[in-house]
Amino acid sequence: MIAKRRAHHKIKHQPPILNDDKVCEYLFQHPDFFIRHAQQIDKLRIPHPVRGVVSLPEWQMTRQRNKIKQLENEIQSLVQHATINERLFSQLMTLQLALLKANSFSELLEHLNDWGRSLGLLGAYLYLFEDKWQLTAPSNFQHLSLSTEKFDFIRIRHLQYGFQYLGQLSPAELTLLIPEQGYVGSIALSLLGDFGDLGVLVFASRDPHHYQPGQGTVLLEKLGQILPVLINRWIERKPLC
């Protein structure tokens, strides 16, 4: 009985086991610790991947420099995005004004194509889904008619639930959308209409890296909304069944 009490007494008075959480908790509860032990702080050595070890003040200064560098990079990125957005807005306004001035559907297509080429692209390609627009004779734009069934393999592979795609297409996909061009490196594609069911707009570039997944699609989105309204001035929509 006496032995058990002694064993219990020993266990009861064992010092607490330190771990990271307890050390952090102590420092938070005693914020004056570093003031009271300033001389000891200078003697601390922190492992460093390049220099082996550094003092705590050096380590803190390095962290501050890294934070400042990170903030500088974030500010630079914001400035770049603002510049890009300003340029995109200017480009969209220029194109929108040109499209609004078009006196015919042929002129609209010409403005769209000229605008694409002014940006160094191969051009712009517009297709209207045949089940949504009146494109049969006597229409002069039957060559713009596109079957939704034929387009579905592109939609399933690249768009799924999205309305825009930037990147590369397979030879079979390019044959469907841009048959007359010899080499196309990358494309930007946008579905037309609020539900993406009215047609397709494609911009093509010879540069395989010009359009890449992850790039902004704001301009494509706006064109996808504007074009159906303008097209309806010259081509009628099919009645809903």
Side-chain angles (χ1 to χ4, degrees), residues 113-181:
N113 201 38
D114 289 344
W115 181 82
R117 290 180 176 175
S118 71
L119 300 178
L121 305 174
L122 293 172
Y125 304 85
L126 182 67
Y127 296 96
L128 304 177
F129 290 138
E130 61 184 11
D131 59 333
K132 298 294 183 180
W133 302 88
Q134 298 281 9
L135 293 169
T136 55
S139 171
N140 295 322
F141 303 104
Q142 297 179 38
H143 60 288
L144 301 180
S145 175
L146 180 63
S147 165
T148 53
E149 288 77 12
K150 289 183 178 180
F151 181 75
D152 274 346
F153 77 102
I154 295 179
R155 186 195 301 270
I156 293 170
R157 185 181 178 203
H158 298 295
L159 294 167
Q160 297 181 3
Y161 299 105
F163 282 15
Q164 287 78 35
Y165 169 73
L166 295 95
Q168 299 180 350
L169 295 180
S170 70
E173 293 166 342
L174 288 172
T175 299
L176 176 66
L177 297 178
I178 316 175
E180 73 275 13
Q181 287 293 343

Side-chain angles (χ1 to χ4, degrees), residues 11-19 22:
I11 294 173
K12 186 176 180 180
H13 289 85
Q14 282 183 350
I17 299 175
L18 287 178
N19 56 38
K22 291 186 179 298

